[in-house]
Amino acid sequence: MKLYTYDPAPNPKRLQLFINYKGIDIETEQVDLMKLEQFKDEFRAVNPVATVPTLVTDEGVVLAEVIGACVYLEEKFPDKPLLGTTALEKAQVISWDHQIFNTCLTAVAEILRNGNPNFAGRALPGGLDIPQIPELVERGKLRLAPAFRAIDAALADSPFLVGDSVTLADIDLLVCTEFCGWVKESVPEDCANIHAWLPRAREALGL
């Protein structure tokens, strides 16, 4: 296997935390997004969509979505499961993964990509020329607090989002809380359950 990634970025960090927790040894190559290396011919020959992380499997198949790479690695390396152990837990982890990505992560991405001049013409990941929409900055900010409060309610009676141990859902939430700092946003102060969960999640992931 080979992993193409960029450590500081949120989506690569989601996958890297997954890999680190399981102790998987994978050949890794950094693709510097700040230098726009994702658009170089060499990388686009691997992943034409020009996004990271990109995992090339032992079979030579390119997995360019975090959830796909995680499912593959969970099957290959089942020890220390991160996608649940029962049918219900697996469904819950995937559901949380989808919810956190579509609410929290995309809200921060809206703020960043539509408000930062460095993303002019690149308002969405990938190689398409997509103009920024300034109004989406405010929409992203409006979306964040309600999304975090919904998650906070779910943590009221549980140490982690699914069951009694850390999962990909917790990894996604942790990465999202850190990604907020990129746009000078944060978890609302009244989300006491998330604030109590943060050190617990970091400890569980060995951070």
Side-chain angles (χ1 to χ4, degrees):
M1 288 185 288
K2 183 171 182 178
L3 175 65
Y4 296 85
T5 191
Y6 180 61
D7 287 342
N11 277 324
K13 188 165 188 178
R14 292 168 63 206
L15 182 55
Q16 194 62 56
L17 287 174
F18 191 98
I19 290 169
N20 291 349
Y21 180 81
K22 284 180 167 286
I24 306 170
D25 185 19
I26 299 178
E27 179 187 356
T28 300
E29 181 176 326
Q30 295 291 318
V31 179
D32 193 333
L33 304 186
M34 301 302 291
K35 297 179 180 178
L36 303 182
E37 289 181 354
Q38 71 271 33
F39 299 124
K40 288 187 175 181
D41 292 342
E42 297 89 339
F43 181 63
R44 298 196 77 161
V46 176
N47 177 7
V49 182
T51 57
V52 291
T54 296
L55 178 68
V56 182
T57 73
D58 289 333
E59 299 84 358
V61 176
V62 174
L63 299 175
E65 302 293 340
V66 172
I67 187 61
C70 288
V71 169
Y72 176 79
L73 293 173
E74 182 90 340
E75 184 71 21
K76 295 276 288 186
F77 303 93
D79 290 345
K80 301 179 72 176
L82 282 168
L83 293 179
T85 57
T86 68
L88 180 58
E89 285 181 352
K90 291 175 181 180
Q92 290 174 314
V93 172
I94 295 300
S95 294
W96 273 117
D97 177 82
H98 187 73
Q99 180 175 331
I100 293 169
F101 185 86
N102 281 321
T103 58
C104 301
L105 281 165
T106 57
V108 179
E110 280 186 346
I111 299 168
L112 177 68
R113 286 187 165 270
N114 290 282
N116 188 321
N118 291 331
F119 289 96
R122 295 190 297 120
L124 291 175
L128 296 177
D129 184 7
I130 303 293
Q132 292 175 317
I133 303 175
E135 291 81 2
L136 291 182
V137 174
E138 186 59 29
R139 190 181 79 168
K141 293 179 179 180
L142 290 172
R143 294 173 61 196
L144 264 181
F148 278 129
R149 290 190 177 106
I151 296 168
D152 187 74
L155 284 168
D157 301 311
S158 179
F160 299 99
L161 283 171
V162 180
D164 295 326
S165 60
V166 71
T167 67
L168 176 61
D170 299 285
I171 289 174
D172 287 345
L173 179 56
L174 178 60
V175 170
C176 187
T177 64
E178 296 175 350
F179 189 29
C180 282
W182 289 34
V183 293
K184 299 181 180 179
E185 296 289 332
S186 61
V187 177
E189 291 184 8
D190 60 7
C191 289
N193 297 320
I194 293 180
H195 288 291
W197 163 90
L198 278 166
R200 188 162 59 243
R202 291 191 179 105
E203 181 181 7
L205 291 167
L207 302 176

